[in-house]
Amino acid sequence: MAISCTCTIILMLVPLVFVGITTNAGTHKLSPLDQEANAMLSISKELWSNQHNNVSNRCNWPRVNCNKAGSITLLSPPTPSNFTDEFRTQLCFLKLNFSVFQNLVHLDLSEMGLCEFPKLSGLKKLQHLNLSYNTFAGEVPFTLLENLTQLVVLDISNNYISGTIPQELSKLERLVMLDLSANRFLGSIPLIFGQMSNLTHMNLSNNQHFGDEVPFTLPNLTQFLVLDLSQNKHNGFIPHEIGKLTNLLTLDLSSNSLSGPIPEQIGYLKRLTSFHLHSNLLSGFIPHEIGKLTNLLTLDLSSNFLSGPIPEQIGCDPFGSAQHRIQQDRWLYPQRNRAFVASRSFKSLL
Ligand SMILES: *[C@@H]1O[C@H](CO)[C@@H](O)[C@H](O)[C@H]1NC(C)=O
Ligand SMILES: *[C@@H]1O[C@H](CO)[C@@H](O)[C@H](O)[C@H]1NC(C)=O
Ligand SMILES: *[C@@H]1O[C@H](CO)[C@@H](O)[C@H](O)[C@H]1NC(C)=O
Ligand SMILES: *[C@@H]1O[C@H](CO)[C@@H](O)[C@H](O)[C@H]1NC(C)=O
Ligand SMILES: *[C@@H]1O[C@H](CO)[C@@H](O)[C@H](O)[C@H]1NC(C)=O
Ligand SMILES: *[C@@H]1O[C@H](CO)[C@@H](O)[C@H](O)[C@H]1NC(C)=O
Ligand SMILES: *[C@@H]1O[C@H](CO)[C@@H](O)[C@H](O)[C@H]1NC(C)=O
Ligand SMILES: *[C@@H]1O[C@H](CO)[C@@H](O)[C@H](O)[C@H]1NC(C)=O
């Protein structure tokens, strides 16, 4: 009994030690470019359907760019078109430490069928990261974003990611665009996002379980140009301080459970071109200050409990000139319709 146990243990250890030694020795000798070549070889079958397997020529593979030294700067593998079950499993658990691509600036792994977050830590030149339309679940691992200090665009939308929005994102000081939409995030927007001076585009749409606090973090987000908080079960009132977001071009708060009136401070958002409040529980009169939003191209207040006319300044009196009757089919006069619809595009009027 004792002898057979010892034998089994020794038999199991020998191959492990052997593999350990060879890989360590192997990577130790390889130059950074050779490491990149090896990494490309290891993913060529899954990500380039094995049609491009000459790694000496990797800089000419479709959707790969290199710098003059031959180090890869852009990886955007073609979306796999021919998914066999075997292939799907290989992609799902793609094991590659992308950290070997030290000069990577742009990485697009969207729509790849990945199930596990890729290992990216320490890619100090990475500016653009797109991991959307995969099947990542669970919380964002801290190590995913470790030291990605140059990141400008981060798109991890359309996955199954849960947990609160990580505060650590605020360390990405250069971030301009953050898309977390269509996931399962919950909680509120970290207040510290208000200090990310370059963050101007944020999409948190379609995260089913947001609490009611989110509208109250709005006042801190004064730098934003595009903010989409639609489809999130936000409730409560729209805070008066929304008037501080004077840079906004697009604001989407639709398909939540916001109640109370539209604050008159909305009139301060003079740059707004696209404003969506539809499918909420908003009530009261449409504030005439909306008339100050003369840059509006799209205004959608439909499916609420609002009443009163849309101010004439923005050119949508339903019974005005012929021009104003464009798309009248989508217009229901407020006095006759408690659920008031004013959904239309004004592009043709301006
Ligand atoms: C691989 O690519 C290199 C560099 O472009 C080229 O010289 C070589 O002939 C290619 N090998 C094969 C087998 O196609
Ligand atoms: C489909 O995948 C197989 C490998 O599983 C590959 O040999 C073949 O070239 C692929 N076909 C296309 C059209 O990509
Ligand atoms: C990936 O590689 C980098 C450097 O090559 C290393 O620092 C890091 O620990 C590796 N990560 C994992 C999860 O293996
Ligand atoms: C991240 O940066 C810290 C501090 O500069 C450093 O200690 C750490 O090793 C870095 N991590 C990676 C994965 O590069
Ligand atoms: C990320 O990839 C998806 C799918 O390919 C694309 O629709 C989306 O626009 C990309 N995001 C960014 C920020 O480029
Ligand atoms: C913010 O953007 C500006 C203009 O692109 C740039 O000069 C500045 O360095 C950025 N700030 C940070 C913290 O990256
Ligand atoms: C936000 O994301 C959703 C879902 O991914 C998308 O449908 C919507 O167009 C995005 N909003 C903006 C303003 O880009
Ligand atoms: C948010 O804004 C309020 C006043 O508008 C300010 O007192 C507070 O310090 C801000 N918080 C952060 C984290 O920027």
Side-chain angles (χ1 to χ4, degrees):
M1 190 63 188
I3 290 167
S4 82
C5 267
T6 320
C7 285
T8 317
I9 289 168
I10 289 172
L11 284 176
M12 286 173 68
L13 279 180
V14 167
L16 281 181
V17 170
F18 184 69
V19 168
I21 289 169
T22 45
T23 47
N24 275 350
T27 46
H28 197 72
K29 279 186 209 155
L30 290 178
S31 70
L33 284 185
D34 285 343
Q35 287 187 40
E36 290 190 17
N38 271 0
M40 290 302 278
L41 188 61
S42 77
I43 56 175
S44 63
K45 184 166 178 229
E46 287 89 350
L47 301 190
W48 278 270
S49 304
N50 225 11
Q51 288 160 346
H52 299 276
N53 54 11
N54 181 359
V55 287
S56 319
N57 194 28
R58 61 189 178 280
C59 294
N60 294 324
W61 290 8
R63 306 172 72 151
V64 176
N65 286 353
C66 293
N67 62 17
K68 282 186 182 143
S71 181
I72 291 174
T73 54
L74 176 146
L75 271 186
S76 178
T79 302
S81 54
N82 106 9
F83 267 121
T84 62
D85 281 349
E86 185 207 0
F87 234 66
R88 200 185 295 274
T89 312
Q90 279 168 358
L91 272 177
C92 177
F93 298 108
L94 188 73
K95 294 270 184 271
L96 178 68
N97 186 344
F98 283 87
S99 304
V100 298
F101 301 109
Q102 278 299 313
N103 291 304
L104 209 52
V105 174
H106 186 124
L107 178 62
D108 185 343
L109 296 175
S110 62
E111 301 182 277
M112 302 299 318
L114 304 178
C115 308
E116 290 182 350
F117 286 105
K119 299 177 185 68
L120 306 172
S121 63
L123 290 180
K124 295 201 175 71
K125 295 185 181 166
L126 194 64
Q127 293 181 10
H128 183 114
L129 177 59
N130 193 340
L131 299 176
S132 65
Y133 296 95
N134 283 291
T135 56
F136 305 127
E139 298 192 9
V140 179
F142 173 67
T143 50
L144 176 73
L145 302 170
E146 191 181 13
N147 296 4
L148 303 186
T149 50
Q150 296 300 306
L151 217 53
V152 174
V153 172
L154 176 60
D155 185 348
I156 55 175
S157 67
N158 294 277
N159 281 289
Y160 304 95
I161 307 170
S162 55
T164 53
I165 299 176
Q167 296 259 359
E168 286 80 15
L169 287 172
S170 66
K171 290 186 188 148
L172 306 176
E173 287 183 335
R174 304 187 78 93
L175 208 59
V176 170
M177 197 267 201
L178 177 63
D179 193 342
L180 305 180
S181 66
N183 277 295
R184 293 171 179 170
F185 284 105
L186 50 84
S188 53
I189 304 170
L191 269 178
I192 196 163
F193 279 16
Q195 293 169 12
M196 298 172 72
S197 54
N198 280 3
L199 184 58
T200 52
H201 291 61
M202 183 158 70
N203 192 343
L204 300 180
S205 170
N206 194 359
N207 280 282
Q208 300 295 338
H209 305 287
F210 264 111
D212 56 0
E213 300 156 58
V214 175
F216 299 98
T217 34
L218 281 180
N220 282 71
L221 308 178
T222 51
Q223 76 275 30
F224 276 89
L225 303 178
V226 174
L227 199 47
D228 189 339
L229 303 178
S230 61
Q231 301 186 69
N232 274 320
K233 299 189 176 159
H234 299 315
N235 53 31
F237 299 150
I238 301 175
H240 291 171
E241 292 88 346
I242 196 165
K244 292 181 183 169
L245 280 70
T246 50
N247 292 312
L248 275 183
L249 305 172
T250 295
L251 178 60
D252 194 337
L253 298 172
S254 64
S255 301
N256 283 295
S257 301
L258 297 169
S259 56
I262 301 174
E264 61 191 45
Q265 287 81 357
I266 207 73
Y268 294 125
L269 310 189
K270 289 207 166 59
R271 298 179 68 193
L272 268 189
T273 57
S274 179
F275 187 27
H276 296 265
L277 284 177
H278 64 85
S279 307
N280 276 292
L281 305 168
L282 298 165
S283 56
F285 282 95
I286 294 170
H288 63 82
E289 284 80 3
I290 277 193
K292 294 178 184 165
L293 307 181
T294 50
N295 288 313
L296 273 183
L297 298 175
T298 306
L299 173 65
D300 192 341
L301 304 177
S302 62
S303 301
N304 278 293
F305 300 101
L306 296 162
S307 51
I310 299 248
E312 279 172 30
Q313 297 93 311
I314 52 172
C316 53
D317 172 1
F319 301 112
S321 70
Q323 246 188 342
H324 293 168
R325 268 185 245 121
I326 298 163
Q327 296 187 11
Q328 206 177 19
D329 54 317
R330 293 172 70 190
W331 180 277
L332 299 173
Y333 198 56
Q335 272 79 344
R336 287 184 230 141
N337 291 277
R338 217 166 122 67
F340 170 54
V341 178
S343 168
R344 38 190 284 151
S345 169
F346 304 118
K347 202 173 255 166
S348 50
L349 306 179
L350 299 175

